[in-house]
Structure formats: structure tokens, C-alpha cells
Amino acid sequence: GIDEMGMLLLAHAVNDIRREKEEVNSDEVFINVSIKGLPGGHSGADIHLNIPNAIRHLGFILKEISTIYNEGKIAKIDGGFASNAIPMKAEALLAVSSSKIEEIKEIVRNYGQNHLISDKVALDVVSGNELVFSKEDSNKVISFLTSIIDGVNSYSTKYEGIVESSANIGVIATNGNEI
């Protein structure tokens, strides 16, 4: 659809992530990785300002956890509130091996410091009895979040400084067995 600024909005789902969830392993615990308090903005009017996207940053944190330690089965992932907004917050509930908690905390801490958002990123060990998506399906979601273009794609050749094409991950939500 077209929003109030005349921006074309496209919705895209991560196909194939509509599966039955599974039980966690006995050695796994839940962690909640969250990013909160980023400035946010309108994806049409503010996209050229390089405002950090909470969903995108969360995706890269999850990718590091998954790549380095082969950990992180998603139980829930949610963020953003509108498809035409740059998200201010996002969070994921993951099942990870209890023996890797300290290493994963270090990944999250380092990511926050390296991207100047350390006061906005948190990891909490939480109790839960959630079902999770398989590691394969979790990796599909992470791959989508980290491979899709986000930000300015091109500027107008006719009007200096005017964004011609851009992309934004505005919302991600878990709804039962579907992301």
C-alpha cells in the first residue's frame, strides 16, 4: 500500500517459517536478547540519516551467537510497530546451551560496544517453558534479517540529496508457530 508520504510499502514474510515448534533440550536455558531505546524514525523521511534499526542489529547479534557457538533456537522474536518506521526496539527469546551463557553474554556486550549501542542492548537469562523453532528454521530467520538490504539503495540523479530507493525492516513478530 501507499503511506501518507506517498511511499510504497511492501510486506515480505520469511517463507517456510511456519512449522511446528519443538521442545528444548535438557541442557538448554532461555535468554532474552533485547535492544531498546534507539531513536527510531520514519523510513521515508529519515532513512538517509543512518538511524540504527533495532531489528537489524538484533539479527546481527543472533548471527554472531549462531555462527560462533552454533547456538540459538528462537522461541519468539518481536520488534518494531509499523512497516514505515525505523524500529526503536526488538527482542528475541532464545534457547541456548547453559554452558555457553558467559560466552554469549560477551558476544552481546562486544556487539553493543562495537556499534555504540551498549547502553541499549541487554541479555537476561529468563525462566520459561516455551517451544522453539528448530535450529534450521531459526537460522533461516537470522539469514533473512542479516542479508536483506536496509537503508538507502540509491539517490536521485535528478535531485541532489533526495532518496530514490530505500528499504527498511519495520516489523517482525512471532504469532504462534509463525514468524
Side-chain angles (χ1 to χ4, degrees), residues 23-177:
E23 300 273 336
V24 297
N25 297 329
S26 60
D27 68 329
E28 291 177 318
V29 296
F30 285 102
I31 60 171
N32 191 68
V33 180
S34 62
I35 300 175
K36 296 178 182 174
L38 295 181
H42 189 282
S43 65
D46 301 325
I47 199 76
H48 66 290
L49 300 175
N50 294 319
I51 295 169
N53 181 315
I55 296 171
R56 185 101 161 134
H57 277 295
L58 180 62
F60 282 108
I61 291 171
L62 300 182
K63 183 176 182 176
E64 285 193 37
I65 293 168
S66 179
T67 303
I68 295 171
Y69 294 110
N70 195 31
E71 293 286 339
K73 290 186 277 187
I74 297 171
K76 295 179 187 175
I77 184 167
D78 296 289
F81 65 90
S83 59
N84 63 349
I86 301 168
M88 299 180 281
K89 64 180 182 175
E91 64 184 338
L93 180 65
L94 307 173
V96 299
S97 172
S98 59
S99 65
K100 299 292 185 189
I101 293 293
E102 292 308 313
E103 292 93 336
I104 292 170
K105 283 182 179 178
E106 188 67 21
I107 287 173
V108 173
R109 188 171 24 259
N110 288 341
Y111 186 93
Q113 290 171 349
N114 292 340
H115 292 87
L116 306 176
I117 58 171
S118 58
D119 61 329
K120 312 289 186 207
V121 180
L123 181 152
D124 297 300
V125 178
V126 296
S127 61
N129 190 17
E130 302 281 337
L131 296 176
V132 295
F133 291 96
S134 70
K135 184 69 177 132
E136 178 185 349
D137 287 343
S138 296
N139 283 342
K140 286 180 184 179
V141 173
I142 293 166
S143 177
F144 173 78
L145 293 177
T146 57
S147 63
I148 193 168
I149 295 171
D150 186 70
V152 174
N153 294 331
S154 64
Y155 286 91
S156 171
T157 56
K158 188 174 181 179
Y159 303 103
E160 186 177 333
I162 301 297
V163 175
E164 183 175 77
S165 172
S166 65
N168 174 60
I169 303 171
V171 178
I172 189 165
T174 306
N175 184 11
N177 290 347

